[in-house]
Amino acid sequence: MTQFPLPPGQQLAAAHKWPFVGERAPGQGPEAWTLTLVEVSGRRHQWSWDQLLALPRTRLEVDIHCVTRWSILAMPFVGVTLADLLKSAGVVSSAGFVSFVARSDRRHSTSLPLADALELNTLIAWEAQAKPLESVHGGPLRSVVPGRYFYKSVKWLERIELLDSDRLGYWEATAGYHNAADPWREQRYLAPSLDRRETANLLAARDFSGLDLRGIDARGHNLAGLQAVNALLRDSDFRGCDLSGANFAGANLSNARLADVNLRSTSFLGADLEGADFSRAELQGANFTGASIFGASFAPVDDQGQVVTNDSARWDHTTQFDSARLEDLLPAQRTLFQ
Ligand SMILES: Nc1nc2c(c(=O)[nH]1)N[C@H]1C(S)=C(S)[C@@H](COP(=O)(O)O)O[C@H]1N2
Ligand SMILES: [Mo]
């Protein structure tokens, strides 16, 4: 069911431009897709493709909320609910957790408390938008967990494991994604903790190159000329900084807060700027060539989802944008560049 307004910090993407995020293709395996369920006891159940299609079907309209700030409302999925799948196997489980495991090169997975997964109406889906699920979106089979950030929905689902104790998923274990992932509470990321002193030393040295400083709070500092090549700065907060002439080539600044920042002649060559906020920033001479700007904001949006042009970033002919990449902006943001 569609809920309005959007969860905090999310913006609408166009339904016909469903972005793909993360891994792009499944790993090798037998051609015929099967789904395996492993109980806590180790007991296994397996469904062939035909057996899956014969299970009770559910059509669900799911609001997709990606942690990099784009949402698509009411995406229609068809599949079998996790509850019906368990029922069909005669499994009544008191397991605490469920892990969804992908057939992918890195054995991608994600987990949830089993009670939450059931209550949220988790779907094992093979169809979206009335078509077989496309491979980039996890076809032939993916899990879909309504009411959680989309990283809780695994593409190329091949195994479901019931667990007594939780086993963190790939993004949760390696990249600090929040394990609870509730978009209404903005449970996006956990940052590694930097102590005050460490932060102060780093800010004074103005060299972040190659460092993992996710979530760093650098608000209001003079960081002109900062070197931050290939730095991991997701979810960092630079609001009100002077970052003129800084070098963020290859850096990950997804969801970074860059509102009210002086970014004159700053380089974002090939940087990941998904979900970053540039409201009211000065972008004269900045270079966005090769940067990924999906879900980035160049002006805040109001309650109606319209951009507040008065609070837009400022740029001119010396700002370098890839026109092709501007197509990736969410519809409301794109209007700024027309
Ligand atoms: N196997 C697998 N599943 C995955 C991922 C991944 O990298 N590998 N990324 C997750 C993330 S972060 C998101 S936002 C969604 C993206 O799904 P989409 O590409 O269909 O939009 O898949 C999730 N499931
Ligand atoms: Mo994501």
Side-chain angles (χ1 to χ4, degrees):
M1 221 180 68
T2 296
Q3 293 189 54
F4 289 102
L6 290 174
Q10 296 296 117
Q11 292 181 53
L12 275 189
H16 64 276
K17 279 183 91 179
W18 182 4
F20 44 87
V21 181
E23 294 175 296
R24 309 253 145 141
Q28 294 298 309
E31 215 162 282
W33 202 273
T34 59
L35 177 65
T36 302
L37 170 72
V38 187
E39 293 188 65
V40 177
S41 65
R43 188 162 161 233
R44 284 164 175 268
H45 306 262
Q46 198 173 65
W47 291 264
S48 67
W49 190 248
D50 288 343
Q51 287 169 329
L52 277 174
L53 296 190
L55 293 172
R57 277 179 200 210
T58 297
R59 182 180 181 279
L60 268 190
E61 291 192 349
V62 178
D63 295 345
I64 296 176
H65 304 300
C66 178
V67 72
T68 53
R69 301 188 185 280
W70 57 266
S71 295
I72 295 178
L73 299 181
M75 175 70 78
F77 286 103
V78 172
V80 57
T81 62
L82 178 63
D84 282 337
L85 187 82
L86 294 181
K87 207 197 253 174
S88 83
V91 173
V92 181
S93 180
S94 58
F97 299 89
V98 55
S99 176
F100 298 94
V101 186
R103 178 194 292 180
S104 78
D105 292 343
R106 62 182 185 218
R107 311 281 309 137
H108 192 95
S109 73
T110 192
S111 68
L112 288 144
L114 178 60
D116 291 359
L118 293 170
E119 191 176 326
L120 291 165
N121 226 358
T122 295
L123 193 69
I124 313 302
W126 52 78
E127 206 181 287
Q129 294 177 307
K131 290 181 306 241
L133 198 56
E134 284 177 63
S135 179
V136 286
H137 292 305
L141 197 66
R142 79 177 296 163
S143 54
V144 178
V145 181
R148 292 291 177 264
Y149 283 123
F150 208 32
Y151 59 83
K152 288 291 178 185
S153 298
V154 148
K155 308 198 272 192
W156 317 295
L157 177 71
E158 149 170 278
R159 205 169 73 236
I160 300 175
E161 289 182 44
L162 302 178
L163 303 168
D164 269 339
S165 45
D166 200 5
R167 186 177 63 213
L168 286 183
Y170 178 85
W171 291 119
E172 295 88 335
T174 66
Y177 282 47
H178 200 297
N179 197 30
D182 181 347
W184 298 95
R185 300 169 71 184
E186 283 214 85
Q187 293 168 322
R188 297 177 192 271
Y189 307 109
L190 302 170
S193 51
L194 284 175
D195 68 36
R196 277 237 172 105
R197 183 135 170 208
E198 233 177 320
T199 306
N201 288 341
L202 283 161
L203 293 173
R206 294 194 198 183
D207 190 356
F208 292 0
S209 296
L211 298 178
D212 181 353
L213 300 172
R214 284 175 284 152
I216 191 171
D217 180 356
R219 275 174 296 175
H221 285 269
N222 178 1
L223 295 169
L226 176 77
Q227 290 303 306
V229 174
N230 295 328
L232 297 178
L233 293 164
R234 202 189 52 216
D235 232 26
S236 52
D237 193 347
F238 288 103
R239 283 175 293 173
C241 285
D242 184 349
L243 281 168
S244 54
N247 187 356
F248 288 104
N252 183 333
L253 282 158
S254 66
N255 287 9
R257 297 170 183 205
L258 293 156
D260 304 295
V261 175
N262 177 353
L263 294 167
R264 288 173 184 260
S265 300
T266 298
S267 169
F268 294 107
L269 271 177
D272 180 345
L273 302 174
E274 295 185 8
D277 179 19
F278 292 93
S279 301
R280 294 174 302 274
E282 295 166 57
L283 301 176
Q284 296 86 345
N287 189 348
F288 288 83
T289 306
S292 171
I293 54 173
F294 203 96
S297 292
F298 290 87
V301 292
D302 62 21
D303 299 346
Q304 321 303 325
Q306 304 296 314
V307 281
V308 183
T309 47
N310 283 341
D311 288 331
S312 166
R314 286 175 294 270
W315 58 86
D316 63 17
H317 66 281
T318 63
T319 310
Q320 287 172 265
F321 284 114
D322 286 339
S323 44
R325 298 275 183 151
L326 292 175
E327 295 295 305
D328 291 345
L329 290 174
L330 300 178
Q333 295 294 328
R334 221 167 336 145
T335 62
L336 288 168
F337 292 87
Q338 278 155 8

